[in-house]
Amino acid sequence: MLGLGVFAQSSSAVFIHGVPFLLPALTAGGMPLATAGLLVAMPTVGLVCTLIAWGYVVDRIGERKVLVGGPLLMLVAGISAATASNHIALGVLLFLGGIGAASTNGASGRVIVGWFPPHRRGLAMGIRQTAQPLGVGVGALAIPAVAAAQGVSAAILVPAIMAGIAAIGCLIWVVDPPRPEGKAADRANPYRGVSTLWRIHAVSVLLCVPQGTVWTFALLWLHRDVGWSLPAAGLLVTATQILGAFGRIGAGHWSDRIGSRLGPLRTVAIAAVISMAALAFAAWTHAWWAAIPLLIAASVITVSDNGLAFTAVAEIAGPHWSGRGLGIQNTGQNLAMAAIPPVFGALITATGFPAAYLAAAISAVAAVPLVPTSRATQQY
C-alpha cells in the first residue's frame, strides 16, 4: 500500500510539476512566454480547484476507486492533450489532468494512514511525502529530454503513461483500509466547535513561506549574490532536495518514537525560525562560509513539517473526514506556494535576499504559537 501510494502521488507530481519543464520547448516553437506560462500553470489550477472535492469523494466512496479513477483521468487527459490541435484545447486538457492529479493527494495519504498502525504511521507518511521531490526529479529528467528529441506531444505522454501504470497497479492491489461502521454524514464535523485542525492548517500555510522562499530563490541567490555558476548552484539545490526527502522521513520516524506529531511540528517550526533568521544574517553580512551550510540546513528543516502536519490532520479528522481535511490542508499549502514567487520576488527586487529570508523567518515565528498542544490523535 505504501509503494502504490507513493507511486500514485509521484505520477501526480510529474503531471503537476513536470509540465512546466515544457516551457523551453514551447517557447522555442514560437509561443509567447506569457501564453506558455499560462498553459503549464493549468494543471496546478485544476489541482487547487478540486482538492477538497476529491477529499469529499474519498470520504464517501473510499480510497481504491479514487486512486484508480483519478489517474485514469490523468491518462485520458494526457493522451488527448498530446493530440490537441490548438492552445485552448491543450489548456483545457491540462486543466482536466490537474483535476485527476488532485485525486491522489488525499486518497494516497488515507490508504497509508488507514493501514499503518500509529507507531509506524509517521515513518510511512514521511516516506509518502517524498513523492513530490521524486515526481519533480522524474519530470526534470524526462520531460525536457523527450520534448527535445520527440516533441511536446511525446513529452506530455510521460506523466500520462505513468498515471496509467498507477491506475492499473491501484486497481489490482489497493485494498481500502477498514473503517468503523457508519456513514460520513453520521459523523461529527471535527471542524465544528474546536480549532485544532484550523490551527494546523494555518501553521502549515505559514511554514510554506520559508519552504517556498528557499525552494524558489536559492538558485538565483547562489548565482547572483554568492557568485556560483548555474551548474554548481543547481547541483547544490538538487542535493538539498534529496536531503529534504530524508528529513521528512526522519521527522516522521521521530514522531513515531515519541508518540506525538504536534510536539515535533512545534520543534520544526522553531528550528525554521532559527535557520532562516541565521541565513538572513549571514546573507546580509556576506558571510558565505556560514551562509551555504545554513542554506542546506534551512532547506532540510523547512520541508520536515509536511509529513507531520499531514499525518496529524488525517488522525485528528478521523476516517470519515480525513479526505476533506487533507484536501483543505493541501489547498491552503498550494495557494501559499503560488503566492510566494510574485510576492517575495517583488520583496527581493526592492530590498534584497536578506530581507526576504528574514520575512520568511517572521512567518515561521507566527506559526510557533499556533501549533496546538499535543493530544491523542489516533482515531484510526
Side-chain angles (χ1 to χ4, degrees):
M1 298 303 162
L2 177 58
L4 288 168
V6 170
F7 188 83
Q9 184 60 29
S10 296
S11 71
S12 295
V14 174
F15 205 108
I16 297 297
H17 302 290
V19 168
F21 292 114
L22 289 172
L23 278 175
L26 291 172
T27 53
M31 184 182 294
L33 181 58
T35 302
L38 180 61
L39 281 176
V40 301
M42 293 310 293
T44 302
V45 176
L47 173 89
V48 173
C49 288
T50 55
L51 280 167
I52 298 174
W54 274 114
Y56 178 79
V57 173
V58 174
D59 287 336
R60 295 302 298 244
I61 70 174
E63 296 82 0
R64 179 174 177 268
K65 293 178 181 177
V66 171
L67 285 172
V68 174
L72 277 179
L73 179 57
M74 278 193 285
L75 172 64
V76 173
I79 292 174
S80 301
T83 61
S85 58
N86 60 74
H87 297 162
I88 295 177
L90 177 59
V92 170
L93 290 166
L94 290 175
F95 175 82
L96 289 175
I99 292 176
S103 65
T104 64
N105 281 265
S108 64
R110 278 179 53 114
V111 161
I112 295 167
V113 170
W115 279 115
F116 278 81
H119 66 279
R120 296 177 61 198
R121 194 176 290 156
L123 174 59
M125 287 294 285
I127 295 172
R128 183 263 183 198
Q129 292 299 104
T130 65
Q132 184 182 43
L134 285 173
V136 173
V138 170
L141 289 173
I143 289 179
V146 174
Q150 304 294 331
V152 171
S153 295
I156 294 175
L157 292 176
V158 171
I161 293 172
M162 190 171 175
I165 295 171
I168 294 171
C170 291
L171 176 65
I172 297 173
W173 287 298
V174 164
V175 178
D176 287 345
R179 287 195 283 177
E181 294 295 328
K183 298 179 179 179
D186 299 327
R187 296 293 179 177
N189 184 342
Y191 288 92
R192 190 171 296 160
V194 291
S195 62
T196 302
L197 286 172
W198 290 118
R199 289 174 65 176
I200 295 174
H201 296 326
V203 167
S204 295
V205 168
L206 289 168
L207 291 181
C208 274
V209 176
Q211 175 184 329
T213 302
V214 172
W215 272 20
T216 305
F217 298 108
L219 182 70
L220 181 63
W221 173 67
L222 287 168
H223 178 63
R224 198 174 79 180
D225 281 23
V226 183
W228 285 25
S229 67
L230 283 174
L235 184 62
L236 179 63
V237 171
T238 301
T240 62
Q241 290 286 313
I242 297 170
L243 292 173
F246 284 107
R248 298 180 191 205
I249 296 172
H253 181 59
W254 173 30
S255 73
D256 286 339
R257 293 292 300 272
I258 68 173
S260 169
R261 318 296 175 204
L262 300 179
L265 180 60
R266 182 180 295 103
T267 302
V268 169
I270 295 171
V273 173
I274 297 171
S275 62
M276 292 304 299
L279 178 60
F281 182 76
W284 179 55
T285 59
H286 294 178
W288 308 133
W289 60 271
I292 303 306
L294 285 168
L295 175 66
I296 296 171
S299 298
V300 175
I301 291 168
T302 57
V303 300
S304 297
D305 65 285
N306 290 349
L308 297 171
F310 203 76
T311 309
V313 167
E315 291 178 332
I316 295 170
H320 294 285
W321 270 86
S322 58
R324 279 161 283 187
L326 295 175
I328 295 170
Q329 173 79 2
N330 279 316
T331 299
Q333 288 180 305
N334 278 282
L335 289 173
M337 293 294 283
I340 288 167
V343 173
F344 276 73
L347 178 62
I348 290 169
T349 301
T351 61
F353 286 96
Y357 294 148
L358 182 60
I362 293 171
S363 178
V365 169
V368 174
L370 287 176
V371 179
T373 56
S374 188
R375 50 166 284 181
T377 60
Q378 291 80 16
Q379 295 189 15
Y380 274 85

